[in-house]
Amino acid sequence: MPESMTSVDPTKPLAPWSDFEKLAQILANLKGHFVLSINDTPETRTIFAAHRIEEITTTYSAGSSCGHSKRAQDLLITNA
């Protein structure tokens, strides 16, 4: 049986925390592997604590004006 990989990149401002709790449950029962990219907050660390969490620094440039970009701390969360 081939392995699968699911990539998840939700937008926090558009979803309540209860949706992320549901997502964590779904991902915990996923048969294949997943990688989730999400903002680094205490809430996300708590909700996804059962999974492997890696801190990353990223640069957001979408929506920026005059070529300015914003650096931010994100998390990569996976079961792989």
Side-chain angles (χ1 to χ4, degrees):
M1 181 169 162
E3 297 220 12
S4 63
M5 172 63 85
T6 302
S7 175
V8 184
D9 189 10
T11 305
K12 185 235 173 232
L14 301 179
W17 286 115
S18 61
D19 286 353
F20 289 99
E21 292 166 352
K22 291 175 191 173
L23 177 60
Q25 291 174 353
I26 290 168
L27 294 174
N29 294 312
L30 194 66
K31 299 283 187 228
H33 298 290
F34 73 86
V35 61
L36 165 67
S37 171
I38 194 165
N39 293 7
D40 185 356
T41 67
E43 294 86 359
T44 54
R45 287 176 177 270
T46 299
I47 291 169
F48 295 99
H51 305 288
R52 179 181 292 162
I53 297 175
E54 181 179 340
E55 298 174 7
I56 61 168
T57 301
T58 189
T59 303
Y60 292 111
S61 58
S64 64
S65 60
C66 302
H68 293 97
S69 56
K70 177 183 174 187
R71 295 183 61 80
Q73 283 297 121
D74 275 3
L75 300 175
L76 287 182
I77 302 171
T78 184
N79 65 345

Coordinates of all heavy atoms in Angstrom, one line a residue:
M1 N 0.8 -1.2 0.0 CA 0.0 0.0 0.0 C 0.9 1.2 0.0 O 1.7 1.4 0.9 CB -0.9 0.0 1.2 CG -1.8 1.1 1.4 SD -3.0 0.8 2.7 CE -3.6 2.4 3.0
P2 N 0.7 2.1 -1.0 CA 1.5 3.3 -1.0 C 1.2 4.3 0.1 O 0.1 4.3 0.6 CB 1.2 4.0 -2.4 CG -0.1 3.4 -2.7 CD -0.2 2.1 -2.1
E3 N 2.3 5.0 0.6 CA 2.1 6.0 1.7 C 1.6 7.3 1.1 O 1.9 7.6 -0.1 CB 3.4 6.2 2.4 CG 3.9 4.9 3.0 CD 4.5 5.2 4.4 OE1 4.3 6.3 4.9 OE2 5.1 4.3 4.9
S4 N 0.8 8.0 1.9 CA 0.3 9.3 1.4 C 0.8 10.4 2.3 O 1.2 10.1 3.4 CB -1.2 9.3 1.4 OG -1.7 9.1 2.8
M5 N 0.9 11.6 1.7 CA 1.3 12.7 2.5 C 0.3 13.8 2.3 O -0.1 14.1 1.1 CB 2.7 13.2 2.0 CG 3.1 14.6 2.6 SD 3.3 14.6 4.4 CE 5.0 14.0 4.5
T6 N -0.3 14.4 3.3 CA -1.2 15.5 3.3 C -0.6 16.7 3.8 O 0.0 16.7 4.9 CB -2.5 15.1 4.1 OG1 -3.0 13.9 3.7 CG2 -3.5 16.2 4.1
S7 N -0.7 17.8 3.1 CA -0.2 19.1 3.5 C -1.4 20.0 3.9 O -2.4 20.1 3.2 CB 0.5 19.8 2.3 OG 0.9 21.1 2.7
V8 N -1.3 20.6 5.1 CA -2.4 21.4 5.6 C -1.8 22.8 6.0 O -0.8 22.9 6.7 CB -3.0 20.7 6.9 CG1 -4.2 21.5 7.4 CG2 -3.4 19.3 6.6
D9 N -2.5 23.8 5.5 CA -2.0 25.2 5.8 C -3.3 26.0 6.1 O -3.7 26.8 5.3 CB -1.2 25.7 4.6 CG -0.6 27.1 4.9 OD1 -0.6 27.5 6.1 OD2 -0.1 27.7 4.0
P10 N -3.9 25.9 7.3 CA -5.1 26.6 7.6 C -4.8 28.1 7.9 O -3.7 28.5 8.2 CB -5.6 25.9 8.9 CG -4.4 25.4 9.5 CD -3.4 25.0 8.4
T11 N -5.8 28.9 7.9 CA -5.8 30.3 8.2 C -6.4 30.5 9.5 O -7.7 30.5 9.6 CB -6.4 31.1 7.0 OG1 -5.8 30.8 5.8 CG2 -6.2 32.6 7.3
K12 N -5.7 30.8 10.5 CA -6.2 31.0 11.9 C -7.3 32.0 12.0 O -8.3 31.8 12.6 CB -5.1 31.2 12.9 CG -5.6 31.3 14.3 CD -5.1 32.6 14.9 CE -5.8 32.7 16.3 NZ -6.5 33.9 16.4
P13 N -7.1 33.2 11.4 CA -8.2 34.3 11.6 C -9.5 33.9 11.1 O -10.5 34.4 11.5 CB -7.6 35.5 10.9 CG -6.2 35.3 10.8 CD -6.0 33.8 10.7
L14 N -9.6 32.9 10.2 CA -10.9 32.5 9.7 C -11.5 31.3 10.4 O -12.6 30.9 10.0 CB -10.7 32.1 8.2 CG -10.1 33.2 7.3 CD1 -9.9 32.8 5.9 CD2 -11.0 34.5 7.4
A15 N -10.9 30.8 11.4 CA -11.4 29.6 12.0 C -11.3 29.7 13.6 O -10.3 30.2 14.1 CB -10.7 28.4 11.6
P16 N -12.4 29.3 14.3 CA -12.3 29.3 15.7 C -11.3 28.2 16.2 O -11.1 27.2 15.5 CB -13.7 29.0 16.2 CG -14.3 28.3 15.0 CD -13.6 28.8 13.8
W17 N -10.8 28.3 17.5 CA -9.9 27.3 18.0 C -10.5 26.0 18.0 O -9.8 25.0 17.9 CB -9.4 27.8 19.4 CG -8.4 28.9 19.3 CD1 -8.6 30.2 19.8 CD2 -7.1 28.9 18.7 NE1 -7.5 30.9 19.5 CE2 -6.6 30.1 18.8 CE3 -6.4 27.9 18.0 CZ2 -5.3 30.5 18.3 CZ3 -5.1 28.2 17.5 CH2 -4.6 29.5 17.7
S18 N -11.8 25.9 18.2 CA -12.5 24.5 18.3 C -12.3 23.8 16.9 O -12.2 22.6 16.9 CB -14.0 24.7 18.6 OG -14.6 25.5 17.6
D19 N -12.2 24.5 15.8 CA -11.9 23.9 14.5 C -10.5 23.3 14.5 O -10.3 22.2 13.9 CB -12.1 24.9 13.4 CG -13.6 25.2 13.1 OD1 -14.5 24.6 13.7 OD2 -13.8 26.1 12.2
F20 N -9.6 23.9 15.2 CA -8.2 23.4 15.2 C -8.2 22.2 16.1 O -7.4 21.3 15.9 CB -7.2 24.5 15.6 CG -7.0 25.5 14.5 CD1 -7.7 26.7 14.6 CD2 -6.2 25.2 13.4 CE1 -7.5 27.6 13.6 CE2 -6.0 26.2 12.4 CZ -6.7 27.3 12.5
E21 N -9.0 22.2 17.2 CA -9.0 21.0 18.0 C -9.6 19.8 17.2 O -9.1 18.7 17.3 CB -9.9 21.3 19.3 CG -9.2 22.2 20.2 CD -10.1 22.8 21.2 OE1 -11.3 22.6 21.2 OE2 -9.6 23.5 22.1
K22 N -10.6 20.0 16.4 CA -11.2 19.0 15.5 C -10.1 18.5 14.5 O -10.0 17.3 14.2 CB -12.4 19.5 14.8 CG -13.6 19.7 15.7 CD -14.7 20.3 14.9 CE -15.8 20.8 15.9 NZ -16.9 21.6 15.2
L23 N -9.4 19.5 13.9 CA -8.3 19.1 13.0 C -7.3 18.3 13.6 O -6.8 17.3 13.0 CB -7.7 20.4 12.4 CG -6.5 20.2 11.5 CD1 -7.0 19.4 10.2 CD2 -6.0 21.6 11.1
A24 N -6.9 18.6 14.8 CA -5.9 17.8 15.6 C -6.4 16.3 15.7 O -5.6 15.4 15.6 CB -5.6 18.4 16.9
Q25 N -7.7 16.2 16.0 CA -8.2 14.8 16.2 C -8.2 14.1 14.8 O -7.9 12.9 14.8 CB -9.6 14.9 16.7 CG -9.7 15.3 18.1 CD -11.1 15.6 18.6 OE1 -12.1 15.5 17.9 NE2 -11.3 15.8 19.9
I26 N -8.6 14.8 13.8 CA -8.6 14.2 12.4 C -7.2 13.7 12.0 O -7.0 12.6 11.6 CB -9.2 15.1 11.4 CG1 -10.7 15.3 11.6 CG2 -8.9 14.7 10.0 CD1 -11.3 16.5 10.8
L27 N -6.2 14.6 12.3 CA -4.8 14.3 11.9 C -4.3 13.1 12.7 O -3.5 12.3 12.3 CB -4.0 15.5 12.0 CG -4.3 16.7 11.1 CD1 -3.4 17.9 11.4 CD2 -4.1 16.2 9.6
A28 N -4.7 13.0 14.0 CA -4.2 11.9 14.9 C -4.7 10.6 14.3 O -4.0 9.6 14.6 CB -4.7 12.2 16.3
N29 N -5.8 10.6 13.6 CA -6.4 9.3 13.1 C -6.0 9.1 11.6 O -6.5 8.1 11.1 CB -7.9 9.3 13.3 CG -8.2 9.2 14.8 OD1 -7.7 8.5 15.5 ND2 -9.1 10.1 15.2
L30 N -5.3 10.0 11.0 CA -4.9 9.9 9.6 C -4.0 8.7 9.4 O -3.1 8.4 10.2 CB -4.2 11.1 9.2 CG -4.0 11.4 7.7 CD1 -5.4 11.6 7.1 CD2 -3.1 12.6 7.5
K31 N -4.3 7.9 8.4 CA -3.5 6.7 8.1 C -2.2 7.0 7.5 O -1.2 6.3 7.7 CB -4.3 5.8 7.1 CG -5.6 5.3 7.6 CD -5.4 4.2 8.6 CE -6.8 3.6 9.0 NZ -7.0 3.4 10.4
G32 N -2.1 8.1 6.7 CA -0.8 8.5 6.1 C -0.1 9.5 6.9 O -0.4 9.8 8.1
H33 N 0.9 10.2 6.3 CA 1.6 11.2 7.0 C 1.0 12.6 6.6 O 0.3 12.7 5.6 CB 3.1 11.2 6.5 CG 3.8 9.9 6.8 ND1 4.1 9.6 8.1 CD2 4.2 8.9 6.0 CE1 4.7 8.4 8.1 NE2 4.8 8.0 6.8
F34 N 1.3 13.5 7.5 CA 0.8 14.9 7.2 C 1.9 15.9 7.7 O 2.7 15.6 8.5 CB -0.5 15.2 8.0 CG -0.4 15.4 9.5 CD1 0.0 16.6 10.0 CD2 -0.5 14.4 10.3 CE1 0.1 16.8 11.4 CE2 -0.4 14.5 11.7 CZ -0.1 15.7 12.2
V35 N 1.8 17.1 7.1 CA 2.6 18.2 7.5 C 1.7 19.4 7.6 O 0.9 19.7 6.7 CB 3.9 18.5 6.6 CG1 3.5 18.8 5.2 CG2 4.7 19.6 7.2
L36 N 1.7 20.0 8.7 CA 0.8 21.2 9.0 C 1.7 22.4 9.2 O 2.6 22.4 10.0 CB -0.1 20.9 10.2 CG -0.8 22.1 10.9 CD1 -1.9 22.6 10.0 CD2 -1.4 21.6 12.2
S37 N 1.4 23.5 8.5 CA 2.1 24.8 8.7 C 1.1 25.7 9.3 O 0.0 25.9 8.8 CB 2.6 25.3 7.3 OG 3.0 26.6 7.5
I38 N 1.5 26.3 10.5 CA 0.6 27.1 11.2 C 1.4 28.2 12.1 O 2.5 27.9 12.4 CB -0.3 26.3 12.1 CG1 -1.5 27.1 12.6 CG2 0.5 25.6 13.2 CD1 -2.6 26.2 13.2
N39 N 0.7 29.3 12.4 CA 1.4 30.3 13.3 C 1.8 29.7 14.6 O 1.1 28.9 15.2 CB 0.5 31.5 13.5 CG 0.2 32.2 12.2 OD1 0.6 31.9 11.1 ND2 -0.5 33.3 12.4
D40 N 2.9 30.1 15.1 CA 3.4 29.7 16.4 C 2.7 30.5 17.5 O 3.0 31.7 17.7 CB 4.9 29.9 16.5 CG 5.5 29.3 17.7 OD1 4.8 28.8 18.6 OD2 6.8 29.3 17.8
T41 N 1.8 29.9 18.2 CA 1.1 30.5 19.3 C 1.0 29.4 20.5 O 1.1 28.2 20.2 CB -0.3 30.9 19.0 OG1 -1.1 29.8 18.7 CG2 -0.4 31.8 17.8
P42 N 0.8 29.9 21.7 CA 0.7 28.9 22.8 C -0.5 28.0 22.5 O -0.4 26.8 22.8 CB 0.5 29.8 24.0 CG 1.1 31.1 23.7 CD 0.9 31.3 22.2
E43 N -1.6 28.5 21.9 CA -2.7 27.7 21.7 C -2.4 26.6 20.7 O -2.8 25.4 20.9 CB -3.9 28.5 21.2 CG -4.5 29.5 22.2 CD -3.7 30.8 22.2 OE1 -2.7 31.0 21.5 OE2 -4.1 31.7 23.0
T44 N -1.7 26.9 19.6 CA -1.4 25.8 18.6 C -0.5 24.8 19.2 O -0.6 23.6 18.9 CB -0.8 26.4 17.3 OG1 0.3 27.2 17.6 CG2 -1.9 27.2 16.5
R45 N 0.4 25.2 20.0 CA 1.4 24.3 20.7 C 0.6 23.3 21.6 O 0.9 22.1 21.6 CB 2.4 25.0 21.4 CG 3.5 25.6 20.5 CD 4.5 26.4 21.4 NE 5.5 27.0 20.5 CZ 6.7 26.4 20.2 NH1 6.9 25.2 20.7 NH2 7.6 27.0 19.4
T46 N -0.4 23.8 22.3 CA -1.2 23.0 23.2 C -2.1 22.0 22.4 O -2.1 20.8 22.7 CB -2.1 23.9 24.1 OG1 -1.2 24.7 24.9 CG2 -3.0 23.0 25.0
I47 N -2.8 22.6 21.4 CA -3.7 21.7 20.6 C -3.0 20.6 19.9 O -3.5 19.5 19.8 CB -4.5 22.6 19.6 CG1 -5.5 23.5 20.4 CG2 -5.2 21.8 18.6 CD1 -6.1 24.6 19.6
F48 N -1.8 20.9 19.3 CA -1.1 19.9 18.5 C 0.1 19.2 19.3 O 1.0 18.6 18.7 CB -0.6 20.5 17.2 CG -1.8 20.9 16.4 CD1 -2.2 22.3 16.3 CD2 -2.4 20.0 15.6 CE1 -3.2 22.7 15.5 CE2 -3.5 20.4 14.8 CZ -3.9 21.7 14.8
A49 N 0.1 19.3 20.6 CA 1.2 18.8 21.4 C 1.4 17.3 21.2 O 2.6 16.8 21.5 CB 0.9 19.1 22.9
A50 N 0.5 16.5 20.8 CA 0.7 15.1 20.6 C 1.5 14.7 19.4 O 1.9 13.6 19.2 CB -0.7 14.4 20.5
H51 N 1.8 15.7 18.6 CA 2.5 15.5 17.3 C 3.9 16.1 17.4 O 4.2 16.9 18.3 CB 1.7 16.2 16.1 CG 0.3 15.7 16.0 ND1 0.0 14.4 15.6 CD2 -0.9 16.3 16.3 CE1 -1.3 14.3 15.6 NE2 -1.9 15.4 16.1
R52 N 4.7 15.8 16.4 CA 6.1 16.4 16.3 C 6.0 17.8 15.9 O 5.3 18.1 14.9 CB 6.9 15.6 15.3 CG 8.3 16.1 15.2 CD 9.1 15.3 14.2 NE 9.3 14.0 14.7 CZ 9.7 13.0 14.0 NH1 9.8 13.1 12.7 NH2 9.9 11.8 14.5
I53 N 6.6 18.7 16.6 CA 6.5 20.2 16.3 C 7.9 20.7 16.1 O 8.8 20.5 16.9 CB 5.9 20.9 17.5 CG1 4.4 20.5 17.7 CG2 5.9 22.4 17.3 CD1 3.7 21.1 18.9
E54 N 8.1 21.4 15.0 CA 9.4 22.1 14.7 C 9.1 23.5 14.4 O 8.2 23.9 13.7 CB 10.0 21.4 13.4 CG 11.3 22.0 13.0 CD 11.9 21.4 11.8 OE1 11.5 20.2 11.4 OE2 12.7 22.0 11.2
E55 N 9.9 24.4 15.1 CA 9.9 25.8 14.9 C 10.6 26.2 13.6 O 11.7 25.7 13.4 CB 10.5 26.5 16.1 CG 9.8 26.3 17.4 CD 10.6 26.9 18.6 OE1 11.6 27.6 18.3 OE2 10.3 26.6 19.7
I56 N 10.0 27.1 12.9 CA 10.6 27.7 11.7 C 10.4 29.2 11.7 O 9.5 29.7 12.2 CB 10.1 27.0 10.4 CG1 8.6 27.3 10.2 CG2 10.4 25.6 10.3 CD1 8.1 27.0 8.8
T57 N 11.3 29.9 11.0 CA 11.2 31.3 10.8 C 10.9 31.4 9.3 O 11.5 30.9 8.5 CB 12.4 32.1 11.1 OG1 12.7 31.9 12.5 CG2 12.2 33.6 10.9
T58 N 9.8 32.2 9.0 CA 9.4 32.4 7.6 C 9.3 33.8 7.3 O 9.3 34.7 8.2 CB 8.1 31.6 7.3 OG1 7.8 31.6 5.9 CG2 6.9 32.2 8.1
T59 N 9.1 34.2 6.0 CA 9.0 35.5 5.6 C 7.7 35.6 4.8 O 7.5 34.9 3.8 CB 10.1 36.0 4.7 OG1 11.4 35.8 5.5 CG2 10.0 37.4 4.3
Y60 N 6.8 36.5 5.3 CA 5.5 36.7 4.6 C 5.7 38.0 3.7 O 6.1 39.0 4.2 CB 4.4 37.0 5.5 CG 4.0 35.8 6.3 CD1 4.2 35.7 7.7 CD2 3.4 34.7 5.7 CE1 3.9 34.6 8.4 CE2 3.0 33.6 6.5 CZ 3.3 33.5 7.8 OH 2.9 32.4 8.5
S61 N 5.4 37.8 2.4 CA 5.5 38.9 1.5 C 4.2 39.2 0.8 O 4.0 40.3 0.3 CB 6.6 38.7 0.5 OG 6.3 37.5 -0.3
A62 N 3.2 38.3 0.8 CA 1.9 38.5 0.2 C 1.2 39.6 0.9 O 1.2 39.7 2.2 CB 1.1 37.2 0.2
G63 N 0.6 40.5 0.2 CA -0.1 41.6 0.8 C 0.7 42.7 1.3 O 0.2 43.7 1.8
S64 N 2.0 42.6 1.2 CA 2.9 43.7 1.6 C 3.1 44.7 0.5 O 2.9 44.5 -0.6 CB 4.3 43.1 2.0 OG 4.9 42.6 0.9
S65 N 3.3 45.9 1.0 CA 3.5 47.0 0.0 C 4.9 47.4 -0.2 O 5.7 47.2 0.8 CB 2.6 48.2 0.5 OG 3.1 48.7 1.7
C66 N 5.3 47.9 -1.3 CA 6.6 48.4 -1.6 C 7.7 47.4 -1.4 O 8.8 47.7 -1.0 CB 6.9 49.7 -0.8 SG 5.7 51.0 -1.0
G67 N 7.4 46.1 -1.6 CA 8.4 45.1 -1.4 C 8.8 44.7 0.0 O 9.8 44.0 0.2
H68 N 8.1 45.3 1.0 CA 8.4 45.0 2.4 C 7.8 43.6 2.7 O 6.8 43.2 2.3 CB 7.8 46.0 3.3 CG 8.4 47.4 3.1 ND1 7.9 48.3 2.3 CD2 9.6 47.9 3.6 CE1 8.7 49.4 2.4 NE2 9.7 49.1 3.1
S69 N 8.6 42.9 3.5 CA 8.2 41.6 3.9 C 8.2 41.5 5.4 O 8.8 42.3 6.1 CB 9.0 40.5 3.3 OG 10.4 40.7 3.6
K70 N 7.5 40.5 6.0 CA 7.4 40.4 7.5 C 7.9 39.0 7.9 O 7.5 38.0 7.3 CB 6.0 40.6 7.9 CG 5.8 40.4 9.4 CD 4.3 40.5 9.7 CE 4.1 40.2 11.2 NZ 2.6 40.1 11.5
R71 N 8.9 39.0 8.8 CA 9.4 37.7 9.3 C 8.5 37.3 10.4 O 8.0 38.1 11.2 CB 10.8 37.9 9.8 CG 11.8 38.2 8.6 CD 13.2 38.3 9.0 NE 13.8 37.1 9.6 CZ 14.2 36.0 8.9 NH1 14.1 36.0 7.6 NH2 14.8 35.0 9.5
A72 N 8.2 36.0 10.5 CA 7.3 35.4 11.5 C 7.8 34.0 12.0 O 8.5 33.3 11.2 CB 5.9 35.4 11.0
Q73 N 7.4 33.7 13.2 CA 7.6 32.3 13.7 C 6.4 31.5 13.3 O 5.3 31.8 13.6 CB 7.8 32.3 15.2 CG 9.2 32.8 15.7 CD 10.3 31.9 15.2 OE1 11.2 32.4 14.5 NE2 10.3 30.7 15.6
D74 N 6.7 30.4 12.7 CA 5.6 29.4 12.4 C 6.0 28.0 13.0 O 7.2 27.9 13.5 CB 5.5 29.2 10.9 CG 4.5 30.3 10.3 OD1 4.1 31.2 11.0 OD2 4.3 30.2 9.1
L75 N 5.1 27.1 12.9 CA 5.4 25.7 13.3 C 5.1 24.8 12.2 O 4.2 25.0 11.4 CB 4.5 25.4 14.5 CG 4.6 26.2 15.8 CD1 3.5 25.7 16.8 CD2 6.0 26.0 16.4
L76 N 6.0 23.8 12.0 CA 5.7 22.7 11.2 C 5.3 21.6 12.1 O 6.1 21.2 13.0 CB 6.9 22.3 10.3 CG 7.2 23.3 9.2 CD1 8.4 22.8 8.4 CD2 6.0 23.5 8.2
I77 N 4.2 21.0 11.9 CA 3.7 19.9 12.8 C 3.5 18.7 11.9 O 2.9 18.8 10.8 CB 2.4 20.3 13.5 CG1 2.6 21.6 14.3 CG2 1.8 19.2 14.3 CD1 1.4 22.3 14.9
T78 N 4.0 17.6 12.4 CA 3.9 16.4 11.5 C 3.8 15.1 12.4 O 4.0 15.1 13.6 CB 5.1 16.3 10.6 OG1 5.0 15.1 9.7 CG2 6.4 16.2 11.4
N79 N 3.4 14.0 11.7 CA 3.4 12.7 12.4 C 4.5 11.8 11.8 O 4.5 10.6 12.0 CB 2.0 12.1 12.3 CG 1.6 11.8 10.9 OD1 2.2 12.2 9.9 ND2 0.6 11.0 10.7
A80 N 5.3 12.4 10.9 CA 6.3 11.6 10.2 C 7.6 11.6 10.9 O 7.9 12.6 11.6 CB 6.5 12.1 8.8

